[in-house]
């Protein structure tokens, strides 16, 4: 479980606002945490809930040892209620059940917290029932709504919440967090350059598809350098069967772009910026064959390929054209 000190490294502005509220005993009755998946909303909601209940706090930091802290961490606290979508939506009946639960006296205190995951998935009826709940705030009750799409939340609900926007994780912070998850430095650095979403990065790290994608990109580079006449054959036999939809092709192009950026960094002697750190020897060797201008032109062609891909040009045509452009 993370501490406020650790969260301040991930979401400094949100952490500062929440810890100030805790210190001044001015915790809001309702929060809306909005931001992309993997930016720490769930961790922050759990930490805030611990600070709300923990009677052994050290300043703002919950003790992490008491009964309340342990039960919140395990999801078993009797006065903490979590609502998640049933199927594709959060239904009115779920909010009604929550309201009924809150009419009862707390099992161990009068404090209660409810956390609504994916609050944007509430049906219209559910959202209106929640609004009625928010209109009658109780000082000892706290609501935390989590969403990736804050603008889809009813304005009337938004107006009754303190809105905290979670920023995308910067690459270095994400790289460090991935390494904390047990991912090696080389993979963590590559993933952090592809996405600022922690959950997506972790999923990719465990995906055999991604490991093979990285290998195919390196193989394409080798063929373009040593056997350029076979590059189109490689695209048809290896690239196309693996990158089977536009999203997959886009990720492949992103990997290819990172490689050529690394080649530029090698030419300008900015070794610290290189992402494919396991391929430094290959990148150095490539710099003898391909100039900085060649790498820059390749990046321009890859960006054009991504635009064509998103404009619904057939992926095979996109990759054929890109391969020919890089070969010239």
């Amino acid at each position: 479980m993370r501490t406020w000190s650790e969260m301040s490294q991930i979401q400094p502005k949100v952490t500062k606002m929440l810890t100030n509220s805790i210190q001044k005993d001015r915790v809001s009755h309702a929060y809306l945490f909005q931001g992309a998946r993997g930016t720490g909303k769930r961790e922050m909601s759990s930490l805030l809930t611990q600070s709300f209940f923990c009677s052994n706090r050290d300043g703002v930091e919950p003790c992490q040892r008491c009964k309340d802290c342990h039960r919140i961490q395990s999801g078993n606290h009797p006065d903490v209620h979590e609502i998640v979508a049933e199927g594709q939506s959060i239904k009115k009946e779920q909010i009604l059940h929550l309201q009924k639960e809150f009419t009862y006296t707390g099992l161990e205190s009068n404090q209660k917290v409810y956390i609504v995951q994916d609050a944007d998935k509430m049906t219209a009826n559910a959202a209106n029932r929640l609004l009625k709940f928010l209109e009658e705030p109780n000082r000892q009750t706290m609501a935390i709504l989590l969403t990736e799409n804050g603008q889809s939340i009813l304005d009337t609900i938004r107006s009754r919440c303190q809105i905290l926007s979670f920023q995308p994780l910067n690459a270095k912070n994400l790289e460090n967090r991935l390494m904390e998850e047990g991912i090696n430095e080389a993979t963590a650095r590559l993933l952090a350059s592809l996405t600022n979403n922690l959950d997506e990065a972790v999923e990719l790290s465990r995906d055999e598809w991604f490991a093979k994608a990285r290998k195919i990109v390196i193989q394409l580079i080798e063929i373009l350098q040593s056997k350029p006449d076979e590059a189109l054959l490689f695209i048809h036999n290896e690239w196309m069967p693996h990158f089977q939809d536009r999203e997959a092709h886009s990720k492949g192009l992103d990997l290819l772009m990172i490689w050529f950026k690394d080649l530029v960094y090698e030419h300008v002697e900015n070794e610290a910026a290189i992402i494919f750190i396991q391929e430094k020897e290959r990148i150095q060797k490539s710099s003898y064959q391909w100039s900085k201008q060649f790498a820059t032109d390749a990046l321009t062609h890859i960006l054009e390929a991504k635009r064509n891909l998103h404009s619904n040009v057939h992926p095979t045509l996109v990759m054929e054209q890109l391969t020919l452009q890089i070969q010239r």
Side-chain angles (χ1 to χ4, degrees):
M1 182 65 204
R2 293 192 178 274
T3 65
W4 286 111
S5 178
E6 290 171 328
M7 291 304 293
S8 69
Q9 302 300 311
I10 301 167
Q11 292 292 342
K13 291 183 179 179
V14 171
T15 300
K16 185 175 182 179
M17 293 179 70
L18 288 174
T19 52
N20 283 344
S21 297
I22 295 168
Q23 287 172 334
K24 297 175 181 178
D25 194 25
R26 293 180 181 174
V27 174
S28 175
H29 77 282
Y31 290 98
L32 176 62
F33 290 177
Q34 60 183 21
R37 187 167 62 102
T39 50
K41 300 187 300 297
R42 186 67 188 87
E43 290 171 289
M44 194 75 84
S45 67
S46 181
L47 187 55
L48 177 58
T49 302
Q50 285 188 72
S51 291
F52 188 67
F53 278 98
C54 182
S55 57
N56 299 318
R57 278 196 340 236
D58 181 8
V60 297
E61 294 285 0
C63 71
Q64 310 279 9
R65 299 182 303 274
C66 69
K67 183 169 62 175
D68 283 326
C69 285
H70 280 307
R71 288 190 297 185
I72 291 167
Q73 290 170 21
S74 63
N76 293 316
H77 197 289
D79 294 321
V80 178
H81 302 265
E82 191 163 346
I83 296 178
V84 297
E86 291 182 352
Q88 297 298 312
S89 63
I90 294 172
K91 300 172 176 60
K92 175 183 175 182
E93 289 72 25
Q94 292 176 265
I95 305 298
L96 289 171
H97 178 73
L98 176 71
Q99 288 178 297
K100 184 177 180 182
E101 288 289 325
F102 273 58
T103 60
Y104 304 137
T105 303
L107 294 180
E108 297 178 15
S109 74
N110 288 325
Q111 292 176 297
K112 287 179 178 286
V113 170
Y114 61 98
I115 300 169
V116 183
Q117 293 267 22
D118 298 317
D120 53 289
K121 292 184 178 180
M122 286 188 290
T123 64
N125 285 336
N128 285 323
R129 290 304 309 182
L130 183 67
L131 176 61
K132 292 181 181 297
F133 206 15
L134 292 172
E135 286 174 337
E136 303 168 358
N138 182 316
R139 178 171 170 75
Q140 293 182 296
T141 295
M142 180 170 63
I144 308 174
L145 281 57
L146 313 181
T147 181
E148 294 177 33
N149 185 12
Q151 296 307 311
S152 67
I153 303 294
L154 287 177
D155 287 341
T156 44
I157 289 180
R158 290 173 60 86
S159 68
R160 285 163 176 78
C161 297
Q162 182 174 347
I163 300 172
L164 298 178
S165 296
F166 285 61
Q167 300 304 309
L169 305 182
N170 70 50
K172 193 61 184 176
N173 277 348
L174 180 55
E175 183 181 334
N176 291 335
R177 292 195 69 187
L178 290 170
M179 290 171 67
E180 290 173 8
E181 295 285 336
I183 298 169
N184 66 62
E185 182 184 1
T187 302
R189 181 173 296 191
L190 180 58
L191 290 167
S193 68
L194 284 170
T195 178
N196 58 26
N197 185 309
L198 177 64
D199 293 341
E200 181 183 356
V202 171
E203 287 173 12
L204 283 173
S205 74
R206 298 168 179 167
D207 194 340
E208 291 182 11
W209 177 91
F210 178 72
K212 187 174 180 182
R214 178 167 52 179
K215 183 178 179 181
I216 288 173
V217 168
I218 298 301
Q219 288 174 333
L220 176 60
I221 294 296
E222 290 180 335
I223 289 172
L224 285 167
Q225 288 183 320
S226 60
K227 301 175 183 178
D229 292 342
E230 297 181 12
L232 282 176
L233 187 62
F234 181 84
I235 290 297
H236 285 280
N237 290 344
E238 300 293 336
W239 183 287
M240 299 306 300
H242 187 69
F243 300 96
Q244 294 185 348
D245 56 40
R246 291 182 190 278
E247 183 180 350
H249 275 284
S250 186
K251 276 195 171 60
L253 290 172
D254 286 339
L255 287 167
L256 201 58
M257 187 178 298
I258 290 169
W259 200 94
F260 278 103
K261 282 182 180 179
D262 284 350
L263 183 55
V264 172
Y265 293 140
E266 175 67 24
H267 275 292
V268 299
E269 299 182 355
N270 186 5
E271 187 174 321
I274 289 176
I275 301 299
F276 277 106
I277 55 177
Q278 286 184 322
E279 306 295 334
K280 283 186 179 180
E281 187 175 333
R282 183 178 278 111
I283 291 167
Q284 187 178 49
K285 184 178 178 181
S286 294
S287 70
Y288 301 145
Q289 183 175 344
W290 285 341
S291 67
K292 184 177 77 169
Q293 186 60 53
F294 180 93
T296 303
D297 289 343
L299 287 169
T300 301
H301 296 320
I302 294 168
L303 285 170
E304 181 185 355
K306 283 180 68 72
R307 285 194 294 269
N308 289 338
L309 191 66
H310 295 148
S311 297
N312 290 323
V313 178
H314 195 282
T316 301
L317 294 177
V318 169
M319 291 308 301
E320 288 177 344
Q321 182 182 30
L322 175 61
T323 302
L324 292 171
Q325 288 172 328
I326 294 176
Q327 281 178 322
R328 289 171 190 160

